[in-house]
Amino acid sequence: MVQVLPFHGLRYAPGLAGPAVVAPPYDVIDPAAHRALLGRSPHNVVRLILGDADAGPGWHADAADTLRAWERAGILVRDARPHLYGYRQTFRAPDGTARTRTGLVARVRLEPWGHGIHRHEQTRRGPRADRLRLMRAVDANLSPVFGLYRDPAGDLARWLRPPERPAVNALVDGVGEAFWPITDAVAERVLIDALAERDVVIADGHHRYETALAYRDLRNEALAGPAANGPRPWDYVMMVLVAVEDPGLLVLPTHRVVARAAVPEAARLLAALQADFSVQPVDRGTLGAAAAAAGREGVALGLCLDGAGRYLLRLKDPAAARRAAPAGQEPVAGQEPVADLDVSVLQNLILAPHLGISAEALSGGDAVGYTIDEKEACDAVQAGQAGAAFILNPTDVEQVWSVAVAGATMPPKSTYFSPKLLTGLVIHPLGEGNTPEQR
């Protein structure tokens, strides 16, 4: 269902590749982390994805100049032949268990949503515009999109074992990172053919995928349409593809932190919530555990409220959530309705009706912030920096898959796949010198 091909990757020279030059995705790098990454190496990839610490509005062009200068100086070296690549991460989950997640890095043919490639959540407008400016400047995919595919029998997993000496094999911020080019022609052929029969669901990087679609359309429009003799480099996007069945696949909840101006007086909000939820006070420090325990029996959310303590919210009637759901969240035969998910219940029964934060406002505004750290969320409320924080349970991977292939979407930031994929292991240049070779 998708076309997967090798590409001439642009990688750090062997003497430079490693922890000092890589970075997490741009959207999880705060100013302090940005400065720390810049301090690790003058060649850290953060200079390409976010610019220097004091970068002005024109930093996108500066990033493009830096990319070209690094390639001329041999800091970044283009692979002589196109490759697929393997990528393995070893880490400990929050409960302390050891996990390993393995992916395939490839260029994937861009398709409209629903044509073999599916999204599971809505996106925000601001990041798309910023990433398009950067892609137009650098003419490359700097960071991969994270995609999921089905591999119940492990047909692809057996071809994704790292060699004895991977090109990158390092510990980066507590995560073991191994990356290598796949040089076995048989493995390459098997992987390409097998993935051609599978759908892909975007796990992370919806903004990057939509940016790649927009960039493709701009480039092809400038050249009076798609190439008659085959696709061009910008008709593809770099992805890391991981099987849904991979034992290392981990989704963490993304909690919501709501601005003070959007939150009504505490007593009034708590009274309003009782129409759809049982509202139970919870001791400090036990909110997440209480929500997790209650979530095994139905939808349950935690609430940290400015000046009024912590509460466990249990949904009384799932039908109420479905009645409040907007178009696109209707039940699909054989699949869980989007309206039943925790993130949708929060949006449809709390944020929209009681806090005035519509789905459209969520997409384009800054009334809601996001964090995977429960303590950080509630501390912001206690410190008076926010009016309320909603503590969520994680969305199940199977829920993500079923929602996406049904053509529905969740609210923005419904999932947090952990750990994040590194940026800087390989770059996908989009110039004519990287024209796709049909296999």
Side-chain angles (χ1 to χ4, degrees):
M1 301 286 279
V2 295
Q3 186 185 56
V4 169
L5 291 176
F7 62 98
H8 293 269
L10 187 60
R11 297 190 281 150
Y12 281 97
L16 291 172
V21 295
V22 293
Y26 78 96
D27 54 349
V28 298
I29 301 175
D30 62 22
H34 187 181
R35 290 191 295 272
L37 289 165
L38 289 169
R40 287 184 180 181
S41 167
H43 305 126
N44 190 283
V45 74
V46 77
R47 296 184 187 277
L48 304 182
I49 61 175
L50 285 177
D52 290 324
D54 57 353
W59 73 267
H60 308 82
D62 294 338
D65 291 341
T66 299
L67 177 62
R68 289 189 288 268
W70 287 356
E71 191 168 4
R72 287 194 303 269
I75 294 163
L76 292 171
V77 180
R78 193 172 303 218
D79 284 334
R81 59 149 289 190
H83 288 292
L84 301 176
Y85 303 86
Y87 183 21
R88 175 166 289 184
Q89 295 174 291
T90 56
F91 60 99
R92 289 200 175 274
D95 63 4
T97 58
R99 297 216 184 189
T100 298
R101 187 178 73 192
T102 306
L104 170 71
V105 186
R107 69 164 106 202
V108 177
R109 182 74 181 263
L110 288 160
E111 298 290 352
W113 294 126
H115 293 258
I117 297 178
H118 311 272
R119 60 180 174 176
H120 79 267
E121 66 181 24
Q122 301 159 17
T123 57
R124 305 181 71 191
R125 293 188 292 272
R128 293 199 301 267
D130 175 70
R131 291 299 101 179
L132 183 58
R133 285 188 65 191
L134 180 59
M135 186 177 289
R136 294 181 72 173
V138 300
D139 198 23
N141 299 143
L142 300 176
S143 302
V145 175
F146 187 172
L148 304 175
Y149 64 91
R150 286 284 188 185
D151 187 26
D155 295 332
L156 281 75
R158 64 176 61 100
W159 298 99
L160 291 172
R161 297 189 178 98
E164 184 177 344
R165 293 185 178 179
V168 175
N169 190 19
L171 188 68
V172 181
D173 298 328
V175 178
E177 307 277 0
F179 178 86
W180 65 98
I182 295 173
T183 57
D184 184 330
V186 175
E188 182 179 281
R189 183 73 266 164
V190 169
L191 291 166
I192 291 171
D193 290 346
L195 282 162
E197 302 172 355
R198 290 164 166 80
D199 280 23
V200 167
V201 166
I202 303 301
D204 196 12
H206 291 77
H207 292 104
R208 290 187 284 279
Y209 189 86
E210 291 185 345
T211 298
L213 285 171
Y215 183 74
R216 176 202 64 183
D217 293 345
L218 285 171
R219 292 294 300 266
N220 285 338
E221 181 181 351
L223 294 173
N229 59 348
R232 298 182 173 105
W234 52 83
D235 290 316
Y236 293 78
V237 67
M238 180 170 61
M239 278 196 193
V240 174
L241 298 165
V242 176
V244 170
E245 299 81 7
D246 190 298
L249 207 55
L250 175 66
V251 186
L252 301 179
T254 307
H255 311 303
R256 272 57 172 159
V257 182
V258 184
R260 291 175 60 87
V263 180
E265 188 267 331
R268 182 158 60 90
L269 176 60
L270 291 171
L273 292 177
Q274 290 175 14
D276 294 308
F277 299 88
S278 65
V279 181
Q280 174 187 345
V282 176
D283 291 336
R284 178 182 175 88
T286 63
L287 185 56
R296 289 191 282 270
E297 301 175 359
V299 174
L301 311 171
L303 169 62
C304 298
L305 197 54
D306 186 16
R310 291 163 166 77
Y311 299 86
L312 176 65
L313 310 179
R314 293 175 182 258
L315 180 64
K316 295 177 181 178
D317 181 10
R322 295 169 194 168
R323 288 193 298 269
Q329 293 187 5
E330 300 87 349
V332 177
Q335 297 170 337
E336 184 174 20
V338 180
D340 287 0
L341 302 177
D342 293 20
V343 288
S344 299
V345 169
L346 172 61
Q347 176 61 40
N348 300 334
L349 289 180
I350 299 179
L351 295 185
H354 300 305
L355 279 68
I357 302 173
S358 66
E360 292 75 17
L362 201 66
S363 174
D366 55 4
V368 177
Y370 306 90
T371 176
I372 61 172
D373 189 323
E374 175 193 342
K375 183 178 184 301
E376 179 182 298
C378 290
D379 283 355
V381 175
Q382 186 175 1
Q385 299 166 353
F390 292 92
I391 307 305
L392 279 72
N393 287 311
T395 304
D396 184 78
V397 176
E398 290 295 340
Q399 292 175 324
V400 172
W401 184 274
S402 64
V403 164
V405 297
T409 56
M410 304 177 189
K413 302 290 185 181
S414 293
T415 55
Y416 187 102
F417 284 82
S418 180
K420 290 293 186 177
L421 304 173
L422 285 181
T423 294
L425 294 172
V426 64
I427 292 169
H428 175 214
L430 298 176
E432 294 286 3
N434 210 2
T435 298
E437 298 177 17
Q438 305 300 316
R439 298 295 176 101

